[in-house]
Amino acid sequence: MTQPDSVISLSPVPHDFVPIIQGLVQGSWPKTEVEREALFDALGFVSGTAIDSDDQDSPHHMTTLDLGLPGKISSTWDTYRQQFLGVCTFLYSSRVPQDPVTRSGFAVLQAELSEVYGAPERPWEDEDQSLRIWRCNGRSITLQLFNRLDSTVMLTVEDLALASVIESEEAAH
């Protein structure tokens, strides 16, 4: 695959990030805290501090996460009703709208994930906030490019069953 010159300045290199996604997608999804810790140990993740929520009664909680990769990365792992929901990562962030390096990171990650998981779903045609979704092994892999006020790539891997429960509960309110 030919990659744009700007990929050289991406950190982490998208090719290095794909095995992390594969590690989150393959195998059984953690159902207990011990299983989640074992998965994180196997992937080289280091759990950080809990993030305070404005709503102390919220069933959703986030904790900072170090993925062990170089570069400016902001990651969290999330729970819902004390069940492991998934991992969310922000990559290639820039304060510049339509940043070409950020856009190239999105394009390369999309291409590499498509090589592994096939063509993604594209629920929106809005390329300013491009969204791509792959579903595999009971997980959703979501890749989104935010590009209006600044530029960043958001990548999440979530448990589809728990995400469905959340959606149902939110729709009931």
Short mmCIF file of all heavy atoms in Angstrom, two decimals, residues 31-38 77 79 82:
data_model
loop_
_atom_site.label_atom_id
_atom_site.label_comp_id
_atom_site.label_asym_id
_atom_site.label_seq_id
_atom_site.Cartn_x
_atom_site.Cartn_y
_atom_site.Cartn_z
N LYS A 31 -15.53 -10.27 31.10
CA LYS A 31 -16.80 -10.16 31.85
C LYS A 31 -16.55 -9.79 33.31
O LYS A 31 -17.47 -9.40 34.02
CB LYS A 31 -17.59 -11.47 31.78
CG LYS A 31 -17.99 -11.85 30.37
CD LYS A 31 -18.98 -10.87 29.80
CE LYS A 31 -19.42 -11.29 28.41
NZ LYS A 31 -20.01 -10.22 27.65
N THR A 32 -15.31 -9.94 33.76
CA THR A 32 -14.96 -9.62 35.14
C THR A 32 -13.78 -8.66 35.15
O THR A 32 -13.08 -8.50 34.14
CB THR A 32 -14.57 -10.89 35.93
OG1 THR A 32 -13.33 -11.40 35.39
CG2 THR A 32 -15.66 -11.95 35.85
N GLU A 33 -13.55 -8.07 36.29
CA GLU A 33 -12.41 -7.17 36.45
C GLU A 33 -11.09 -7.93 36.27
O GLU A 33 -10.14 -7.42 35.66
CB GLU A 33 -12.46 -6.49 37.82
CG GLU A 33 -11.36 -5.50 38.07
CD GLU A 33 -11.40 -4.27 37.17
OE1 GLU A 33 -12.38 -4.04 36.45
OE2 GLU A 33 -10.40 -3.53 37.18
N VAL A 34 -11.03 -9.14 36.75
CA VAL A 34 -9.82 -9.97 36.60
C VAL A 34 -9.54 -10.23 35.12
O VAL A 34 -8.39 -10.15 34.66
CB VAL A 34 -9.96 -11.29 37.40
CG1 VAL A 34 -8.84 -12.25 37.07
CG2 VAL A 34 -10.00 -10.99 38.89
N GLU A 35 -10.57 -10.55 34.36
CA GLU A 35 -10.41 -10.79 32.92
C GLU A 35 -9.98 -9.51 32.18
O GLU A 35 -9.15 -9.57 31.28
CB GLU A 35 -11.71 -11.33 32.31
CG GLU A 35 -12.05 -12.72 32.77
CD GLU A 35 -13.41 -13.20 32.30
OE1 GLU A 35 -14.21 -12.40 31.77
OE2 GLU A 35 -13.68 -14.40 32.47
N ARG A 36 -10.55 -8.36 32.58
CA ARG A 36 -10.15 -7.10 31.95
C ARG A 36 -8.69 -6.80 32.25
O ARG A 36 -7.92 -6.43 31.37
CB ARG A 36 -11.03 -5.93 32.42
CG ARG A 36 -10.66 -4.62 31.68
CD ARG A 36 -11.03 -3.39 32.45
NE ARG A 36 -10.55 -3.29 33.79
CZ ARG A 36 -9.31 -2.93 34.15
NH1 ARG A 36 -8.38 -2.65 33.26
NH2 ARG A 36 -8.98 -2.85 35.43
N GLU A 37 -8.28 -6.99 33.49
CA GLU A 37 -6.88 -6.76 33.86
C GLU A 37 -5.95 -7.69 33.10
O GLU A 37 -4.87 -7.26 32.65
CB GLU A 37 -6.69 -6.94 35.37
CG GLU A 37 -7.30 -5.82 36.19
CD GLU A 37 -7.23 -6.05 37.69
OE1 GLU A 37 -6.79 -7.15 38.13
OE2 GLU A 37 -7.64 -5.14 38.43
N ALA A 38 -6.34 -8.94 32.91
CA ALA A 38 -5.52 -9.90 32.16
C ALA A 38 -5.39 -9.45 30.70
O ALA A 38 -4.31 -9.53 30.11
CB ALA A 38 -6.11 -11.30 32.24
N TRP A 77 -10.54 3.79 29.22
CA TRP A 77 -11.34 2.58 29.18
C TRP A 77 -12.60 2.90 29.96
O TRP A 77 -12.58 3.66 30.93
CB TRP A 77 -10.61 1.35 29.67
CG TRP A 77 -10.16 1.31 31.10
CD1 TRP A 77 -8.99 1.80 31.61
CD2 TRP A 77 -10.86 0.72 32.20
NE1 TRP A 77 -8.91 1.56 32.95
CE2 TRP A 77 -10.05 0.89 33.33
CE3 TRP A 77 -12.07 0.05 32.33
CZ2 TRP A 77 -10.42 0.43 34.59
CZ3 TRP A 77 -12.44 -0.41 33.58
CH2 TRP A 77 -11.62 -0.22 34.69
N THR A 79 -16.59 1.83 31.56
CA THR A 79 -17.50 0.83 32.10
C THR A 79 -18.92 1.40 32.09
O THR A 79 -19.12 2.62 32.10
CB THR A 79 -17.16 0.42 33.54
OG1 THR A 79 -17.25 1.57 34.39
CG2 THR A 79 -15.78 -0.20 33.64
N GLN A 82 -20.65 -0.97 35.92
CA GLN A 82 -19.48 -1.73 36.38
C GLN A 82 -19.09 -2.88 35.44
O GLN A 82 -18.28 -3.72 35.81
CB GLN A 82 -19.69 -2.23 37.80
CG GLN A 82 -19.91 -1.09 38.78
CD GLN A 82 -20.25 -1.55 40.16
OE1 GLN A 82 -20.69 -2.67 40.39
NE2 GLN A 82 -20.06 -0.66 41.12
#
